[in-house]
Amino acid sequence: MNPEQSKVLIHDPTLRDGHHAVRHQLSAAQLRAYATAANAARIPVVEVGHGNGLGASSLQVGRAKVSDEEMLTVVREALTDSKMAVFMLPGWGASKDLDRALALGADLVRIGTHCTESDLAERHMGHLRDRGADAHGVLLMSHMAEPGELAEHCAQLVSYGATGVGIMDSSGHYLPADVTARITAIREAVDVPVMFHGHNNLGMAVANSVAAVEAGASIVDACARGFGAGAGNTQLEVVVPVLERMGYATGIDLYKLLDAADLAGRELMPAPPTIDSVGVVSGLSGVFSGFKTRVLDISAREGVDPRDVFFELGRRQAVAGQEDLIVDVAVALRQA
Amino acid sequence: MNPEQSKVLIHDPTLRDGHHAVRHQLSAAQLRAYATAANAARIPVVEVGHGNGLGASSLQVGRAKVSDEEMLTVVREALTDSKMAVFMLPGWGASKDLDRALALGADLVRIGTHCTESDLAERHMGHLRDRGADAHGVLLMSHMAEPGELAEHCAQLVSYGATGVGIMDSSGHYLPADVTARITAIREAVDVPVMFHGHNNLGMAVANSVAAVEAGASIVDACARGFGAGAGNTQLEVVVPVLERMGYATGIDLYKLLDAADLAGRELMPAPPTIDSVGVVSGLSGVFSGFKTRVLDISAREGVDPRDVFFELGRRQAVAGQEDLIVDVAVALRQA
């Protein structure tokens, strides 16, 4: 491989995706401590925010302990070398949130949509392009679309002005060959950097991230100790030395990275994520693990096996926002 | 693939390797509960014993709560369908331990040696062969030998009478390509079933096990919740559905397997294994993670970075039993 091909940019959403695991309750002191450690380790990009992104703090999905404005201010101050990224889901956040994030020093904005709804990103992507901001488009729950379809949506995002695109394995469903097929198709369709964001429900987050890089992805998302909801994300301090051992350069200092991970383990989370049985079932069924609590509650009420409910939700291609389907499925299973 | 190629035999050492994580303190009730659940899930082989195997219970490596005899009696009673396996390291256990295990109903005996010392298994393998017992030879710390050397040692084990051979990734050092090369070489050298036993220090235990199977291994070791020392073993209830999804048949009931894993999570372990920074470093350096406590203590005393000590121990190819090297290395680093 040539030197350019062998570089991988690590994007660290510990302070955004990890928020899901603690109901968005990280304090300013916690944000500052981790951002300082990540900056010292030379992690190139640190993402911060409410788990659901800019503007999402609400009674419905949970109020963050710290406002978007304070989060960005605190983290920006700590990141003397690393770039600061933010995430936004159209509908949760709006243009004013983007403007404020840029004013507070965000270097990169990611706009996320369901994998088949990239058109929802058009307006925001245009807004960011008009301001000369670096904006990436990312597709959530990407296992629900075939490689060709994902490639088309990524090309669409680039046509809107995205300077990078990527896919999230939101329910941790992929095996490495699935990732290879998708990243390969996307790489053929676009000429901007391609990102992969893994979850560990099937124990494959690190292997899937490696498969993505080998297929041409040049941005890998990973969180300290895998900090994130359910089975957690790709573990940052594991995937970095694994990629380095395989000949890819990340520019990250290993010992300081391990220090940052130790700090995260000690200061940010009650316990590191593990793969419990619900994690396995949500990964296998391809259902967002955020459904867990409701599936367990409704299954108990209806006297059905929650695992059957997950698999049926998977067959019905349920996505976040369709929580009502859980009741339909549980009642149907009870009656069957 | 033809139907025979697509079968994988799952070997479950939860009640033996998991013992390392709880200083060999599982009670008879815990052993019975898990063996009953594993049997109900149709896990084909359940291994039981002190972490270091038959005869190893001692002040030096820790006394087990329950004697070998009671362990085998309790588990044998619970396994109405599954086979019962035991493990022995020559020197820790002796022929009388093998005879007693066979008398108590062990269906399979594994004799383990360091990866380049298969000759230590000769006498015990012969002893077992004379009694008509099913005996497998397994090579520990197998990353310390090249594929060809491992294949020669496996062929040697078969010449002693082994009816199966395998390799353990004792320090969790392998990436999938390493496993593929080694299992391929071993498969070419022997015509008995080949086993792979993974550890998760680099987050690759499931991916490595899949790589082993794809290279021709037909026996995979895995523990409920990954129960084992340090970063833990290949997670049983994850690797089984992953293999099934890839078209391999294990014969295991998924829901009862998840029930067994839930029971293990609830009843056997204080917390499931996670990959901490020492786990990453011991995996990268290829050093047995059992060195952890002493490395931390001695490094603190000498005022050196324990990570440097691990990497230097790896360069010196330290193996279990060479704990004195830790002091040599730490002192050398302090003086350097």
Side-chain angles (χ1 to χ4, degrees):
Chain A
M1 55 185 115
N2 73 41
E4 269 316 302
Q5 281 177 323
S6 72
K7 279 191 192 164
V8 174
L9 186 131
I10 298 293
H11 182 113
D12 174 359
T14 300
L15 299 179
R16 199 274 305 163
D17 222 358
H19 247 149
H20 283 298
V22 290
R23 297 164 183 264
H24 320 288
Q25 295 306 301
L26 293 178
S27 69
Q30 288 174 309
L31 296 169
R32 183 181 298 113
Y34 182 75
T36 302
N39 185 74
R42 299 200 301 268
I43 295 170
V45 185
V46 173
E47 185 175 308
V48 62
H50 182 282
N52 297 50
L54 292 175
S57 180
S58 60
L59 283 176
Q60 195 190 344
V61 293
R63 282 207 179 282
K65 186 182 191 81
V66 172
S67 70
D68 284 357
E69 189 158 2
E70 188 178 356
M71 284 195 214
L72 271 67
T73 303
V74 161
V75 168
R76 177 70 282 170
E77 210 174 80
L79 299 182
T80 56
D81 295 297
S82 307
K83 290 187 173 178
M84 179 168 75
V86 292
F87 178 70
M88 196 184 87
L89 294 164
W92 294 97
S95 301
K96 66 171 171 38
D97 297 300
L98 295 179
D99 291 337
R100 193 172 47 186
L102 294 176
L104 290 168
D107 299 295
L108 170 67
V109 179
R110 280 183 170 177
I111 305 292
T113 72
H114 183 68
C115 60
T116 53
E117 296 174 7
S118 57
D119 54 303
L120 292 179
E122 182 170 13
R123 196 164 55 78
H124 296 300
M125 209 61 94
H127 184 82
L128 289 164
R129 189 192 47 208
D130 292 345
R131 276 151 192 74
D134 200 11
H136 289 190
V138 299
L139 301 174
L140 279 64
M141 294 294 281
S142 63
H143 71 281
M144 298 178 82
E146 293 302 310
E149 198 176 4
L150 292 177
E152 282 171 28
H153 283 278
C154 285
Q156 184 107 305
L157 288 164
V158 172
S159 78
Y160 300 153
T163 52
V165 294
I167 55 174
M168 294 192 170
D169 182 16
S170 311
S171 67
H173 182 71
Y174 286 141
L175 302 182
D178 304 318
V179 177
T180 301
R182 284 164 172 82
I183 297 292
T184 301
I186 295 168
R187 279 277 290 164
E188 283 167 8
V190 302
D191 54 5
V192 298
V194 176
M195 179 280 295
F196 178 74
H197 174 111
H199 282 263
N200 203 35
N201 298 64
L202 300 182
M204 286 295 192
V206 173
N208 284 343
S209 301
V210 165
V213 168
E214 293 195 292
S218 58
I219 307 174
V220 166
D221 275 16
C223 295
R225 290 279 191 278
F227 195 36
N233 291 53
T234 305
Q235 195 170 338
L236 175 64
E237 71 278 18
V238 177
V239 77
V240 167
V242 164
L243 287 170
E244 294 273 350
R245 183 166 146 197
M246 294 179 73
Y248 297 98
T250 65
I252 294 173
D253 181 295
L254 176 62
Y255 282 11
K256 287 182 179 157
L257 173 65
L258 294 170
D259 290 342
D262 287 343
L263 180 145
R266 212 170 48 233
E267 310 276 343
L268 305 190
M269 58 196 83
T274 58
I275 310 174
D276 66 11
S277 288
V278 170
V280 176
V281 169
S282 64
L284 287 173
S285 61
V287 174
F288 178 52
S289 61
F291 278 26
K292 175 176 174 173
T293 312
R294 286 203 213 183
V295 168
L296 294 178
D297 287 351
I298 294 168
S299 298
R301 197 182 70 202
E302 298 295 333
V304 297
D305 191 318
R307 300 169 296 195
D308 287 335
V309 174
F310 263 109
F311 283 114
E312 183 58 24
L313 287 169
R315 274 185 287 269
R316 297 196 192 183
Q317 306 242 310
V319 295
Q322 297 184 316
E323 281 77 356
D324 290 351
L325 255 185
I326 302 170
V327 177
D328 295 354
V329 164
V331 169
L333 284 171
R334 176 173 51 76
Q335 292 170 342
Chain B
M1 54 186 120
N2 74 41
E4 269 316 303
Q5 282 177 321
S6 72
K7 278 190 193 166
V8 174
L9 187 131
I10 299 292
H11 182 114
D12 174 358
T14 301
L15 300 179
R16 200 272 307 161
D17 223 357
H19 247 148
H20 283 298
V22 290
R23 296 166 184 262
H24 321 287
Q25 296 304 304
L26 294 177
S27 69
Q30 289 174 309
L31 296 169
R32 183 181 298 113
Y34 182 74
T36 301
N39 186 73
R42 299 199 301 266
I43 295 170
V45 184
V46 173
E47 186 176 307
V48 63
H50 182 282
N52 297 50
L54 293 175
S57 178
S58 60
L59 283 178
Q60 196 191 342
V61 291
R63 283 207 179 282
K65 185 181 191 83
V66 172
S67 70
D68 284 357
E69 189 158 1
E70 189 178 356
M71 285 195 212
L72 270 67
T73 304
V74 163
V75 170
R76 178 69 283 171
E77 210 174 80
L79 300 181
T80 57
D81 295 297
S82 308
K83 289 187 175 179
M84 180 169 74
V86 291
F87 177 69
M88 197 182 88
L89 294 164
W92 294 97
S95 301
K96 66 171 172 35
D97 296 301
L98 295 178
D99 291 338
R100 194 173 47 186
L102 294 176
L104 290 169
D107 298 296
L108 169 66
V109 178
R110 280 182 170 180
I111 304 292
T113 71
H114 182 67
C115 60
T116 53
E117 296 175 4
S118 59
D119 54 304
L120 291 179
E122 182 170 13
R123 195 164 56 79
H124 295 300
M125 211 59 97
H127 184 84
L128 290 163
R129 187 191 51 207
D130 292 346
R131 276 150 193 76
D134 201 9
H136 288 190
V138 299
L139 302 174
L140 279 64
M141 295 293 280
S142 64
H143 71 282
M144 298 179 82
E146 294 301 309
E149 198 176 5
L150 291 176
E152 282 171 29
H153 282 280
C154 285
Q156 184 106 304
L157 288 164
V158 172
S159 79
Y160 301 154
T163 54
V165 295
I167 56 173
M168 293 192 172
D169 182 17
S170 311
S171 65
H173 182 72
Y174 286 139
L175 301 181
D178 304 318
V179 178
T180 301
R182 284 165 171 81
I183 297 292
T184 301
I186 295 167
R187 278 280 289 168
E188 284 167 6
V190 303
D191 55 4
V192 298
V194 175
M195 178 280 293
F196 178 74
H197 173 110
H199 282 264
N200 203 38
N201 298 63
L202 301 182
M204 287 294 194
V206 172
N208 285 342
S209 302
V210 165
V213 167
E214 293 196 291
S218 58
I219 307 175
V220 166
D221 275 17
C223 295
R225 289 282 192 276
F227 195 36
N233 292 52
T234 306
Q235 195 170 337
L236 175 64
E237 70 279 18
V238 176
V239 76
V240 166
V242 165
L243 286 169
E244 294 272 351
R245 183 167 146 197
M246 294 179 71
Y248 298 98
T250 65
I252 293 173
D253 181 295
L254 176 62
Y255 282 10
K256 288 183 179 156
L257 172 64
L258 295 170
D259 291 341
D262 288 342
L263 180 144
R266 212 169 47 233
E267 310 276 343
L268 305 189
M269 59 196 83
T274 58
I275 310 176
D276 65 12
S277 289
V278 171
V280 176
V281 170
S282 64
L284 287 173
S285 61
V287 174
F288 178 51
S289 60
F291 278 25
K292 174 176 174 174
T293 312
R294 286 202 213 182
V295 168
L296 294 179
D297 288 351
I298 294 167
S299 299
R301 198 182 70 201
E302 299 294 333
V304 297
D305 191 318
R307 301 171 294 196
D308 287 335
V309 175
F310 263 110
F311 284 114
E312 182 58 25
L313 287 168
R315 274 186 286 272
R316 297 198 191 182
Q317 306 242 309
V319 297
Q322 296 182 315
E323 280 78 356
D324 290 352
L325 257 184
I326 302 171
V327 176
D328 295 354
V329 164
V331 169
L333 285 170
R334 174 171 53 75
Q335 292 171 340

